[in-house]
Amino acid sequence: MYTHAIVKKPGINFAKGITTANLGKPKYEKAALQHRLYCEALKKCGLKVIVLEPDLRHPDGCFVEDTAIITEKSAIITQPGDLSRRGEKEEIAEIISNYKKIRCIKSPGTIDGGDILRINNHFYIGLSKRTNKAGAKQLAIILSKDGYTSSTIPVKSVLHLKTGVTYISNNNLIAIKEFSNRFKLFNIIKVDEDENYSANCLFVNNFLMVPKGFPKTKQKISELRYNIIEVEMSEFRKMDGGLTCLSLLF
Ligand code: GLY
């Protein structure tokens, strides 16, 4: 069970972040509202939510997931793959150090937390445009010292591994086509191509947060009897962000 979430509010220059989505410019007021509702959803899941103020030097800073990988044993501060995002990790490291022992990924290794998919005590490390082999190797060594296993998986069609596949407990994975044959031991819920965005869901304690507006995925998940919380994510989607991107859970 998670007890805490770290989140960071989007700043007024949120639209200046990196994106490939081609869905138009996000509106700041709308993003701020959606972020508040996201925090409310996390509280409903029983979490104490630590809310950080925006840092205008880092328009992508609300996507805190990319800056750390937190386990029961420690917090591994990443080395974000895009140079414009490197500075985001300092404040996160400072906050997490109040709770966890800190370790760091070092250059030339790069890791974005969005590429790290944990299933029980195994970590899948997506090799993407943001996460390289050197970073994956460093992370594997740290995780192994803490008693976890890991393996790598190529990421081709999406930004991060978790853009296209997330673990939602009970042996269930929700995935886009690229990843639907990669995880043989699991029950795969395949999202329809026109609902690919909904492969990024967030299972928190006994609740499943899903993005609003994806009826076919919702129908597939409903059959599995989750406590579903739908969250409007339109403005974060415009900046290539999903539900997992907006928080660090521990
Ligand atoms: N906008 C999130 C990212 O590209 O890292």
Side-chain angles (χ1 to χ4, degrees):
M1 296 284 274
Y2 295 112
T3 54
H4 292 74
I6 298 174
V7 301
K8 190 171 187 139
K9 293 179 190 168
I12 43 168
N13 62 347
F14 170 60
K16 291 214 159 78
I18 317 160
T19 184
T20 57
N22 234 351
L23 293 169
K25 259 192 164 195
K27 292 199 172 63
Y28 164 69
E29 286 77 13
K30 217 169 158 187
L33 173 65
Q34 290 177 3
H35 196 266
R36 282 198 294 279
L37 295 173
Y38 176 86
C39 293
E40 288 309 313
L42 291 176
K43 286 181 195 160
K44 192 173 169 190
C45 299
L47 302 185
K48 175 177 163 54
V49 182
I50 301 162
V51 184
L52 307 180
E53 292 303 315
D55 176 346
L56 298 186
R57 292 171 302 170
H58 299 294
D60 279 308
C62 60
F63 300 122
V64 288
E65 172 185 54
D66 291 317
T67 60
I69 298 134
I70 308 180
T71 72
E72 296 84 340
K73 305 278 172 63
S74 71
I76 300 147
I77 302 301
T78 64
Q79 183 77 294
D82 192 283
L83 282 177
S84 72
R85 300 199 56 193
R86 291 269 160 96
E88 293 173 22
K89 62 189 174 175
E90 319 299 345
E91 185 186 11
I92 299 293
E94 202 182 309
I95 303 289
I96 303 180
S97 66
N98 294 318
Y99 301 89
K100 297 274 178 182
K101 180 170 82 176
I102 297 280
R103 266 87 69 87
C104 298
I105 301 296
K106 298 188 176 74
S107 278
T110 63
I111 298 258
D112 273 16
D115 279 316
I116 313 304
L117 171 65
R118 180 177 183 174
I119 304 184
N120 304 321
N121 286 329
H122 187 82
F123 289 74
Y124 292 91
I125 306 171
L127 294 176
S128 68
K129 288 200 179 81
R130 301 286 177 85
T131 295
N132 65 16
K133 284 186 183 160
K137 201 166 163 191
Q138 288 178 41
L139 179 60
I141 291 169
I142 295 171
L143 290 171
S144 148
K145 283 186 184 150
D146 284 345
Y148 302 108
T149 55
S150 63
S151 54
T152 57
I153 177 164
V155 177
K156 303 280 182 217
S157 70
V158 281
L159 176 62
H160 290 130
L161 177 61
K162 277 187 287 187
T163 314
V165 55
T166 46
Y167 183 64
I168 56 171
S169 83
N170 269 348
N171 219 44
N172 294 324
L173 278 168
I174 178 156
I176 62 168
K177 193 169 165 210
E178 178 180 345
F179 301 114
S180 59
N181 291 322
R182 284 255 166 201
F183 298 87
K184 302 281 183 215
L185 298 175
F186 300 93
N187 175 41
I188 308 288
I189 300 148
K190 284 186 208 165
V191 298
D192 288 39
E193 211 165 333
D194 60 333
E195 295 200 357
N196 270 355
Y197 180 77
S198 61
N200 185 273
C201 295
L202 181 59
F203 184 79
V204 189
N205 300 336
N206 286 319
F207 294 88
L208 181 62
M209 290 167 59
V210 303
K212 206 171 193 163
F214 300 91
K216 289 185 273 185
T217 300
K218 192 179 169 194
Q219 177 58 36
K220 289 176 196 182
I221 294 174
S222 306
E223 289 158 17
L224 299 168
R225 300 211 188 121
Y226 282 98
N227 294 319
I228 293 178
I229 305 178
E230 281 188 283
V231 183
E232 181 58 75
M233 290 290 291
S234 65
E235 304 315 288
F236 297 101
R237 184 183 183 194
K238 290 174 185 169
M239 300 307 294
D240 284 343
L243 283 163
T244 63
C245 309
L246 290 178
S247 57
L248 281 164
L249 307 181
F250 61 98

mmCIF file of all heavy atoms in Angstrom, residues 14 17-20 59-60 63 66 82 85 88 112 130 159-160 236 238-241 245, ligand 1:
data_model
loop_
_atom_site.group_PDB
_atom_site.id
_atom_site.type_symbol
_atom_site.label_atom_id
_atom_site.label_comp_id
_atom_site.label_asym_id
_atom_site.label_seq_id
_atom_site.Cartn_x
_atom_site.Cartn_y
_atom_site.Cartn_z
ATOM 1 N N PHE A 14 3.636 26.014 -18.746
ATOM 2 C CA PHE A 14 3.509 24.576 -18.979
ATOM 3 C C PHE A 14 3.524 24.230 -20.486
ATOM 4 O O PHE A 14 4.130 23.246 -20.911
ATOM 5 C CB PHE A 14 2.187 24.166 -18.314
ATOM 6 C CG PHE A 14 1.708 22.788 -18.606
ATOM 7 C CD1 PHE A 14 2.469 21.675 -18.284
ATOM 8 C CD2 PHE A 14 0.454 22.585 -19.189
ATOM 9 C CE1 PHE A 14 2.001 20.391 -18.534
ATOM 10 C CE2 PHE A 14 -0.013 21.308 -19.439
ATOM 11 C CZ PHE A 14 0.765 20.217 -19.113
ATOM 12 N N GLY A 17 6.745 23.179 -22.593
ATOM 13 C CA GLY A 17 7.453 21.902 -22.426
ATOM 14 C C GLY A 17 7.587 21.152 -23.752
ATOM 15 O O GLY A 17 7.195 21.644 -24.811
ATOM 16 N N ILE A 18 8.126 19.948 -23.636
ATOM 17 C CA ILE A 18 8.374 19.155 -24.847
ATOM 18 C C ILE A 18 7.095 18.379 -25.191
ATOM 19 O O ILE A 18 6.461 17.815 -24.307
ATOM 20 C CB ILE A 18 9.462 18.086 -24.598
ATOM 21 C CG1 ILE A 18 10.628 18.666 -23.813
ATOM 22 C CG2 ILE A 18 9.930 17.454 -25.885
ATOM 23 C CD1 ILE A 18 11.468 17.606 -23.136
ATOM 24 N N THR A 19 6.796 18.340 -26.471
ATOM 25 C CA THR A 19 5.657 17.490 -26.861
ATOM 26 C C THR A 19 5.766 17.035 -28.311
ATOM 27 O O THR A 19 6.339 17.728 -29.151
ATOM 28 C CB THR A 19 4.298 18.185 -26.633
ATOM 29 O OG1 THR A 19 3.257 17.259 -26.949
ATOM 30 C CG2 THR A 19 4.124 19.446 -27.459
ATOM 31 N N THR A 20 5.209 15.859 -28.550
ATOM 32 C CA THR A 20 5.105 15.340 -29.916
ATOM 33 C C THR A 20 3.630 15.107 -30.244
ATOM 34 O O THR A 20 3.303 14.597 -31.304
ATOM 35 C CB THR A 20 5.821 13.966 -30.025
ATOM 36 O OG1 THR A 20 5.238 13.074 -29.064
ATOM 37 C CG2 THR A 20 7.309 14.074 -29.783
ATOM 38 N N PRO A 59 9.305 23.781 -17.551
ATOM 39 C CA PRO A 59 7.892 23.661 -17.912
ATOM 40 C C PRO A 59 7.338 22.228 -17.862
ATOM 41 O O PRO A 59 6.145 22.034 -17.715
ATOM 42 C CB PRO A 59 7.826 24.235 -19.327
ATOM 43 C CG PRO A 59 9.213 24.469 -19.772
ATOM 44 C CD PRO A 59 10.100 24.454 -18.590
ATOM 45 N N ASP A 60 8.225 21.224 -17.955
ATOM 46 C CA ASP A 60 7.763 19.836 -17.852
ATOM 47 C C ASP A 60 7.810 19.312 -16.414
ATOM 48 O O ASP A 60 7.578 18.120 -16.178
ATOM 49 C CB ASP A 60 8.634 18.917 -18.731
ATOM 50 C CG ASP A 60 8.224 18.956 -20.193
ATOM 51 O OD1 ASP A 60 7.032 18.762 -20.475
ATOM 52 O OD2 ASP A 60 9.101 19.189 -21.052
ATOM 53 N N PHE A 63 5.682 16.641 -14.473
ATOM 54 C CA PHE A 63 5.776 15.206 -14.756
ATOM 55 C C PHE A 63 6.850 14.571 -13.863
ATOM 56 O O PHE A 63 7.884 14.062 -14.329
ATOM 57 C CB PHE A 63 6.052 14.981 -16.252
ATOM 58 C CG PHE A 63 4.968 15.549 -17.139
ATOM 59 C CD1 PHE A 63 5.257 16.489 -18.117
ATOM 60 C CD2 PHE A 63 3.642 15.151 -16.982
ATOM 61 C CE1 PHE A 63 4.256 17.017 -18.927
ATOM 62 C CE2 PHE A 63 2.631 15.676 -17.782
ATOM 63 C CZ PHE A 63 2.942 16.612 -18.758
ATOM 64 N N ASP A 66 9.291 11.190 -13.871
ATOM 65 C CA ASP A 66 10.528 10.954 -14.615
ATOM 66 C C ASP A 66 11.783 11.187 -13.796
ATOM 67 O O ASP A 66 12.873 10.829 -14.229
ATOM 68 C CB ASP A 66 10.541 11.838 -15.883
ATOM 69 C CG ASP A 66 9.501 11.359 -16.872
ATOM 70 O OD1 ASP A 66 9.391 10.140 -17.060
ATOM 71 O OD2 ASP A 66 8.777 12.209 -17.430
ATOM 72 N N ASP A 82 16.245 14.057 -21.617
ATOM 73 C CA ASP A 82 16.248 15.324 -22.334
ATOM 74 C C ASP A 82 16.927 16.376 -21.450
ATOM 75 O O ASP A 82 16.526 16.572 -20.305
ATOM 76 C CB ASP A 82 14.815 15.752 -22.666
ATOM 77 C CG ASP A 82 14.821 16.911 -23.650
ATOM 78 O OD1 ASP A 82 15.095 18.056 -23.230
ATOM 79 O OD2 ASP A 82 14.593 16.662 -24.856
ATOM 80 N N ARG A 85 15.311 18.810 -19.036
ATOM 81 C CA ARG A 85 14.604 18.314 -17.852
ATOM 82 C C ARG A 85 15.560 17.918 -16.716
ATOM 83 O O ARG A 85 15.107 17.516 -15.651
ATOM 84 C CB ARG A 85 13.696 17.137 -18.242
ATOM 85 C CG ARG A 85 12.641 17.534 -19.277
ATOM 86 C CD ARG A 85 11.499 16.558 -19.313
ATOM 87 N NE ARG A 85 10.887 16.414 -18.014
ATOM 88 C CZ ARG A 85 10.029 15.455 -17.683
ATOM 89 N NH1 ARG A 85 9.688 14.569 -18.573
ATOM 90 N NH2 ARG A 85 9.529 15.393 -16.467
ATOM 91 N N GLU A 88 15.186 19.266 -13.036
ATOM 92 C CA GLU A 88 13.961 18.977 -12.259
ATOM 93 C C GLU A 88 14.239 18.091 -11.051
ATOM 94 O O GLU A 88 13.500 18.094 -10.073
ATOM 95 C CB GLU A 88 12.939 18.247 -13.154
ATOM 96 C CG GLU A 88 12.390 19.094 -14.264
ATOM 97 C CD GLU A 88 11.520 18.276 -15.223
ATOM 98 O OE1 GLU A 88 11.008 17.213 -14.825
ATOM 99 O OE2 GLU A 88 11.376 18.698 -16.386
ATOM 100 N N ASP A 112 14.533 8.000 -17.738
ATOM 101 C CA ASP A 112 13.301 8.720 -17.380
ATOM 102 C C ASP A 112 12.437 7.729 -16.596
ATOM 103 O O ASP A 112 12.252 6.579 -17.053
ATOM 104 C CB ASP A 112 12.517 9.136 -18.638
ATOM 105 C CG ASP A 112 12.943 10.479 -19.210
ATOM 106 O OD1 ASP A 112 14.029 10.983 -18.854
ATOM 107 O OD2 ASP A 112 12.182 11.021 -20.046
ATOM 108 N N ARG A 130 14.708 8.355 -24.351
ATOM 109 C CA ARG A 130 15.105 9.010 -23.096
ATOM 110 C C ARG A 130 15.958 8.131 -22.166
ATOM 111 O O ARG A 130 16.668 8.637 -21.312
ATOM 112 C CB ARG A 130 13.850 9.428 -22.323
ATOM 113 C CG ARG A 130 12.922 10.380 -23.074
ATOM 114 C CD ARG A 130 13.514 11.774 -23.135
ATOM 115 N NE ARG A 130 12.662 12.668 -23.902
ATOM 116 C CZ ARG A 130 11.628 13.320 -23.379
ATOM 117 N NH1 ARG A 130 11.329 13.186 -22.108
ATOM 118 N NH2 ARG A 130 10.909 14.118 -24.143
ATOM 119 N N LEU A 159 6.569 7.525 -26.307
ATOM 120 C CA LEU A 159 7.637 8.249 -25.605
ATOM 121 C C LEU A 159 8.313 7.372 -24.562
ATOM 122 O O LEU A 159 9.533 7.243 -24.531
ATOM 123 C CB LEU A 159 7.034 9.505 -24.935
ATOM 124 C CG LEU A 159 7.990 10.329 -24.069
ATOM 125 C CD1 LEU A 159 9.151 10.879 -24.880
ATOM 126 C CD2 LEU A 159 7.239 11.463 -23.357
ATOM 127 N N HIS A 160 7.517 6.822 -23.669
ATOM 128 C CA HIS A 160 8.051 6.018 -22.562
ATOM 129 C C HIS A 160 7.392 4.629 -22.553
ATOM 130 O O HIS A 160 6.274 4.468 -23.060
ATOM 131 C CB HIS A 160 7.717 6.684 -21.220
ATOM 132 C CG HIS A 160 8.466 7.948 -20.954
ATOM 133 N ND1 HIS A 160 7.839 9.112 -20.549
ATOM 134 C CD2 HIS A 160 9.789 8.236 -21.010
ATOM 135 C CE1 HIS A 160 8.746 10.060 -20.375
ATOM 136 N NE2 HIS A 160 9.932 9.558 -20.648
ATOM 137 N N PHE A 236 -2.789 17.523 -20.094
ATOM 138 C CA PHE A 236 -1.504 16.835 -19.916
ATOM 139 C C PHE A 236 -1.207 15.944 -21.124
ATOM 140 O O PHE A 236 -0.054 15.795 -21.524
ATOM 141 C CB PHE A 236 -1.513 16.044 -18.599
ATOM 142 C CG PHE A 236 -1.667 16.962 -17.425
ATOM 143 C CD1 PHE A 236 -2.894 17.113 -16.791
ATOM 144 C CD2 PHE A 236 -0.607 17.747 -17.016
ATOM 145 C CE1 PHE A 236 -3.047 18.005 -15.747
ATOM 146 C CE2 PHE A 236 -0.746 18.649 -15.969
ATOM 147 C CZ PHE A 236 -1.975 18.776 -15.329
ATOM 148 N N LYS A 238 -1.846 16.681 -24.098
ATOM 149 C CA LYS A 238 -1.286 17.555 -25.140
ATOM 150 C C LYS A 238 0.226 17.715 -24.995
ATOM 151 O O LYS A 238 0.906 18.116 -25.925
ATOM 152 C CB LYS A 238 -1.956 18.937 -25.087
ATOM 153 C CG LYS A 238 -3.395 18.911 -25.547
ATOM 154 C CD LYS A 238 -4.040 20.267 -25.341
ATOM 155 C CE LYS A 238 -5.524 20.224 -25.675
ATOM 156 N NZ LYS A 238 -6.230 21.435 -25.254
ATOM 157 N N MET A 239 0.726 17.444 -23.777
ATOM 158 C CA MET A 239 2.167 17.560 -23.531
ATOM 159 C C MET A 239 2.807 16.186 -23.318
ATOM 160 O O MET A 239 3.821 16.052 -22.639
ATOM 161 C CB MET A 239 2.413 18.449 -22.300
ATOM 162 C CG MET A 239 1.880 19.857 -22.432
ATOM 163 S SD MET A 239 2.444 20.724 -23.927
ATOM 164 C CE MET A 239 4.196 20.873 -23.604
ATOM 165 N N ASP A 240 2.193 15.165 -23.884
ATOM 166 C CA ASP A 240 2.720 13.789 -23.822
ATOM 167 C C ASP A 240 2.732 13.208 -22.412
ATOM 168 O O ASP A 240 3.524 12.308 -22.120
ATOM 169 C CB ASP A 240 4.155 13.698 -24.377
ATOM 170 C CG ASP A 240 4.213 13.745 -25.888
ATOM 171 O OD1 ASP A 240 3.165 13.530 -26.530
ATOM 172 O OD2 ASP A 240 5.303 14.011 -26.432
ATOM 173 N N GLY A 241 1.881 13.721 -21.536
ATOM 174 C CA GLY A 241 1.876 13.217 -20.156
ATOM 175 C C GLY A 241 0.652 12.372 -19.861
ATOM 176 O O GLY A 241 -0.439 12.624 -20.386
ATOM 177 N N CYS A 245 2.601 9.855 -14.957
ATOM 178 C CA CYS A 245 3.645 10.894 -15.036
ATOM 179 C C CYS A 245 3.533 11.948 -13.941
ATOM 180 O O CYS A 245 4.513 12.583 -13.572
ATOM 181 C CB CYS A 245 3.570 11.634 -16.365
ATOM 182 S SG CYS A 245 3.545 10.584 -17.800
HETATM 183 N N1 GLY B 1 6.446 16.545 -21.945
HETATM 184 C C1 GLY B 1 7.012 15.468 -21.255
HETATM 185 C C2 GLY B 1 8.267 15.014 -21.850
HETATM 186 O O1 GLY B 1 8.428 15.080 -23.054
HETATM 187 O O2 GLY B 1 9.167 14.598 -21.156
#
